[in-house]
């Protein structure tokens, strides 16, 4: 399918074909930074599978932009997926005040990883990729499309909010903690950690988090995916755990939960553009950490060569001690990442999450405002209870699907 603009620019947008497009897609990916702060750039290596960031979703597509002529070249790519997620909740009727709120679902599409080669930027390639991806979204019944970008990515924000009709919707924070290779983090004795089975984890999430914005209806597929390394529940040490049913019937005053996703098996990151002095200082902290681990020196991981990480998703909890219990779970995840050879542990949450103070992170590695932009695709809605979701007020929580990280 070639648009008039594509003919003029001699670029065609088509579906990705692994056998012939792999090398070209990798070249585009490696030519683009995925994050930038000052003179520091972050590059990603998708380990030989450009579709890895969407292929675990129910319906996904990858498009490439290719030059027309005797010497064809891949100059851009875009990934997208369609799924059913929560866009709001319906409060119980006054006569059933004790009943729980009911989730309102919508079919939504997510754009993941738009890339255009530096030589072909500002030539309409990105716009063509987005427009054809949106056509595919509509053909699969999506009512909304959304995407996430760094607040400092002016080109991306200009394209989506200026030319494609998206609006800024949510601004969660991407929190990153380095993995200290020299020592394990101690777990507080005031808490116990329960490893839930996928079935129990699904029950807990559907009972307690299903009304959170962006909660995926196919949560069971995520929890049973080989990349999901487990769901962990933190409880006060004085609580007597029997099983999930007894917990749900009478939970303690405070509790916290999270799940861990293995992004290390999908892609690696690398930080470039750092001065030699900072590299030496980071190396010194690692040497000291390994030499005298009992001092628990906060060593800076070697992120100047390819490294992987774990992503924490499905964070939730209740009660006055939920933040301290969340810290225990984050320490547990850190120790798992250390054993798995990771360089970082990351998660994404809203700034108003009550357990936010319990999530350890380094400001230099984190993004305090990650813009999520949204666009209404459908004119008619199957369920008008939520109205136009793009106009809704921010909720206190969001569910970040690890398949889109």
């Amino acid at each position: 399918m070639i648009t008039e603009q594509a003919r003029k620019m001699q670029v065609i947008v088509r579906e990705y074909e692994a056998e012939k497009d792999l090398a070209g897609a990798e070249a585009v990916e490696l030519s683009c930074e995925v994050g930038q702060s000052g003179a520091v750039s972050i590059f990603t290596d998708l380990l030989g599978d450009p579709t890895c960031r969407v292929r675990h979703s129910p319906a996904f597509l990858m498009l490439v932009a290719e030059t027309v002529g005797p010497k064809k070249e891949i100059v851009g790519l875009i990934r997208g997926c369609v799924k059913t997620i929560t866009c709001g909740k319906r409060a119980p009727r006054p006569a059933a005040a004790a009943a729980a709120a009911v989730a309102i679902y919508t079919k939504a599409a997510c754009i993941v990883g738009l890339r255009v080669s530096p030589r072909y930027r500002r030539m309409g390639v990105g716009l063509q990729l987005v427009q054809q991806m949106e056509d595919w979204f509509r053909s699969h019944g999506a009512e909304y499309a959304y995407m996430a970008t760094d607040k400092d990515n002016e080109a991306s924000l200009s394209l989506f909010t200026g030319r494609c009709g998206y609006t800024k919707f949510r601004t969660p924070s991407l929190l990153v903690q380095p993995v200290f290779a020299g020592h394990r983090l101690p777990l507080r004795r005031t808490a116990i950690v329960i490893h839930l089975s996928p079935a129990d984890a699904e029950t807990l999430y559907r009972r307690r988090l299903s009304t959170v914005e962006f909660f995926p209806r196919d949560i069971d597929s995520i929890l049973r995916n080989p990349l999901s390394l487990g769901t962990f529940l933190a409880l006060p040490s004085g609580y007597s755990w029997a099983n999930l049913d007894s917990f749900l019937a009478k939970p303690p005053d405070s509790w916290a939960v999270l799940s861990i996703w293995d992004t290390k098996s999908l892609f690696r990151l690398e930080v470039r553009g750092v001065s030699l002095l900072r590299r030496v200082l980071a190396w010194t902290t690692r040497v000291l950490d390994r030499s005298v681990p009992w001092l628990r020196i906060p060593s800076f991981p070697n992120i100047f060569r390819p490294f992987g990480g774990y992503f924490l998703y499905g964070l939730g909890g209740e009660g006055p001690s939920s933040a301290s219990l969340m810290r225990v779970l984050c320490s547990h995840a850190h120790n798992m990442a250390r054993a798995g050879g990771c360089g970082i542990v990351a998660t994404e949450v809203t700034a108003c999450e009550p357990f936010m103070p319990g999530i350890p992170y380094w400001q230099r590695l984190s993004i305090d405002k990650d813009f999520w932009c949204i666009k209404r695709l459908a004119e008619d809605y199957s369920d008008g209870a939520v109205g136009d979701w793009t106009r809704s007020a921010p909720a206190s929580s969001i569910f970040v699907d690890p398949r889109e990280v």
Side-chain angles (χ1 to χ4, degrees):
M1 176 180 179
I2 307 177
T3 64
E4 202 56 40
Q5 186 179 18
R7 288 192 182 95
K8 183 178 179 180
M9 303 305 300
Q10 295 186 318
V11 172
I12 182 173
V13 175
R14 59 172 175 79
E15 188 170 347
Y16 169 77
E17 298 178 38
E19 290 186 2
K20 70 175 185 177
D21 297 334
L22 176 59
E26 285 183 330
V28 172
E29 193 73 44
L30 291 172
S31 71
C32 302
E33 304 98 341
V34 297
Q36 194 165 14
S37 177
V40 176
S41 300
I42 302 175
F43 292 77
T44 184
D45 179 1
L46 298 178
L47 301 180
D49 183 5
T51 67
C52 69
R53 296 179 64 190
V54 290
R55 63 181 172 86
H56 296 279
S57 299
F60 67 91
L61 178 70
M62 178 170 167
L63 299 174
V64 296
E66 182 182 54
T67 56
V68 177
K71 188 178 180 181
K72 300 181 187 299
E73 179 186 2
I74 303 296
V75 298
L77 55 89
I78 191 172
R79 309 171 189 86
C81 59
V82 178
K83 60 184 179 178
T84 302
I85 60 175
T86 298
C87 62
K89 58 184 177 181
R90 185 184 294 109
R93 296 179 179 178
V102 178
I104 300 173
Y105 287 97
T106 187
K107 206 165 189 180
C110 179
I111 292 176
V112 182
L114 172 64
R115 304 279 187 264
V116 177
S117 295
R119 290 190 300 112
Y120 283 82
R121 291 172 184 169
R122 302 182 184 277
M123 297 173 65
V125 176
L127 179 62
Q128 294 175 58
L129 287 164
V130 173
Q131 290 176 338
Q132 293 203 29
M133 182 59 75
E134 287 180 349
D135 289 342
W136 182 79
F137 289 160
R138 292 187 182 94
S139 71
H140 281 69
E143 296 178 324
Y144 299 94
Y146 65 95
M147 52 75 66
T149 188
D150 186 342
K151 66 176 181 179
D152 297 324
N153 193 336
E154 296 179 2
S156 178
L157 286 171
S158 177
L159 171 64
F160 282 96
T161 62
R163 304 188 67 184
C164 297
Y166 287 71
T167 57
K168 296 176 183 178
F169 189 57
R170 301 292 183 255
T171 54
S173 298
L174 179 62
L175 307 179
V176 180
Q177 180 191 24
V179 173
F180 308 133
H183 59 83
R184 290 171 54 86
L185 296 183
L187 303 184
R188 297 182 180 181
R189 296 182 179 180
T190 55
I192 58 173
V193 176
I194 307 297
H195 187 178
L196 299 177
S197 68
D200 281 351
E202 178 188 354
T203 299
L204 175 60
Y205 279 129
R206 292 196 188 280
R207 291 279 294 274
R208 294 305 180 105
L209 272 74
S210 64
T211 58
V212 172
E213 276 191 328
F214 295 94
F215 180 85
R217 178 173 277 177
D218 66 333
I219 183 65
D220 54 320
S221 297
I222 300 175
L223 296 169
R224 289 171 172 78
N225 191 296
L227 295 172
S228 192
L229 303 180
T231 299
F232 302 91
L233 177 66
L235 305 168
S237 57
Y239 182 80
S240 179
W241 170 265
N243 52 51
L244 182 66
D245 290 337
S246 62
F247 166 80
L248 292 172
K250 192 176 180 179
D253 291 339
S254 299
W255 58 273
V257 66
L258 61 73
S259 298
I260 303 175
W261 186 264
D262 178 16
T263 60
K264 179 173 177 283
S265 297
L266 298 177
F267 57 83
R268 303 289 177 91
L269 301 171
E270 182 180 354
V271 175
R272 301 177 185 174
V274 179
S275 67
L276 178 60
L277 175 60
R278 290 189 176 184
R279 288 173 180 262
V280 172
L281 290 175
W283 174 82
T284 302
T285 65
R286 292 194 297 274
V287 171
L288 291 173
D289 191 15
R290 290 187 177 93
S291 302
V292 284
W294 56 87
L295 294 180
R296 303 198 180 282
I297 296 171
S299 60
F300 200 88
N302 189 1
I303 58 177
F304 313 119
R305 64 181 183 185
F307 66 93
Y310 287 168
F311 184 79
L312 311 183
Y313 72 98
L315 280 70
E318 295 178 0
S321 300
S322 61
S324 62
L325 292 172
M326 184 60 69
R327 182 172 291 275
V328 171
L329 292 178
C330 290
S331 295
H332 179 72
H334 169 279
N335 294 339
M336 286 184 59
R338 175 179 175 271
C342 295
I344 60 168
V345 174
T347 191
E348 194 162 13
V349 295
T350 62
C352 54
E353 286 282 11
F355 50 75
M356 172 81 166
I359 303 175
Y361 65 96
W362 281 24
Q363 186 68 44
R364 284 182 176 273
L365 299 177
S366 303
I367 300 174
D368 60 354
K369 189 173 288 187
D370 195 21
F371 280 131
W372 287 25
C373 302
I374 195 169
K375 178 179 180 177
R376 182 175 177 174
L377 296 177
E379 296 297 331
D380 299 321
Y381 287 78
S382 57
D383 189 336
V386 75
D388 185 353
W389 188 24
T390 66
R391 300 173 182 269
S392 65
S396 60
S397 302
I398 59 172
F399 191 104
V400 181
D401 193 327
R403 298 172 296 189
E404 299 167 4
V405 175

